[in-house]
């Protein structure tokens, strides 16, 4: 599977949970098998007219705990 396959698969999934922290910050979680400790997290930030999408350490993988989302380091997809 290449990166585009996983991105397409991820984009086609419905979010398991959404945390709208503010008008400018949202976290979206995709749980694997309903498990919030095996989660793909996407951070969406809006600054003026620019919206960015970032992932923990730049990885689109189901290896994060949803409960720790605010303390993670986010980067653009690698």
């Amino acid at each position: 599977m290449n990166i585009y396959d996983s991105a397409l698969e991820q984009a086609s999934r419905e979010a398991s949970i959404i945390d709208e922290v503010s008008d400018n910050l949202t976290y979206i979680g995709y749980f694997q098998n309903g498990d919030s400790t095996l989660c793909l997290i996407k951070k969406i930030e809006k600054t003026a007219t620019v919206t960015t999408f970032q992932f923990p350490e730049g990885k689109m993988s189901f290896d994060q705990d949803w409960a720790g989302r605010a303390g993670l380091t986010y980067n653009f997809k690698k």
Side-chain angles (χ1 to χ4, degrees), residues 27-78:
Y27 295 100
I28 299 178
Y30 303 87
F31 298 167
Q32 187 173 54
N33 299 322
D35 186 346
S36 67
T37 65
L38 296 173
C39 186
L40 185 155
I41 302 172
K42 180 175 14 179
K43 179 182 177 182
I44 303 171
E45 279 189 295
K46 184 173 181 181
T47 304
T49 61
V50 176
T51 301
T52 60
F53 301 87
Q54 296 185 38
F55 301 88
E57 300 177 13
K59 298 185 297 182
M60 291 179 62
S61 55
F62 290 86
D63 62 354
Q64 299 298 323
D65 186 340
W66 175 254
R69 66 192 171 282
L72 298 172
T73 301
Y74 291 84
N75 295 300
F76 293 102
K77 182 174 61 178
K78 295 181 181 179

Side-chain angles (χ1 to χ4, degrees), residues 2-34:
N2 67 41
I3 186 71
Y4 300 106
D5 292 338
S6 69
L8 180 60
E9 179 183 340
Q10 184 271 331
S12 68
R13 295 178 58 137
E14 289 187 30
S16 302
I17 192 166
I18 299 172
D19 181 6
E20 295 178 293
V21 177
S22 69
D23 289 341
N24 300 321
L25 176 61
T26 301
Y27 295 100
I28 299 178
Y30 303 87
F31 298 167
Q32 187 173 54
N33 299 322

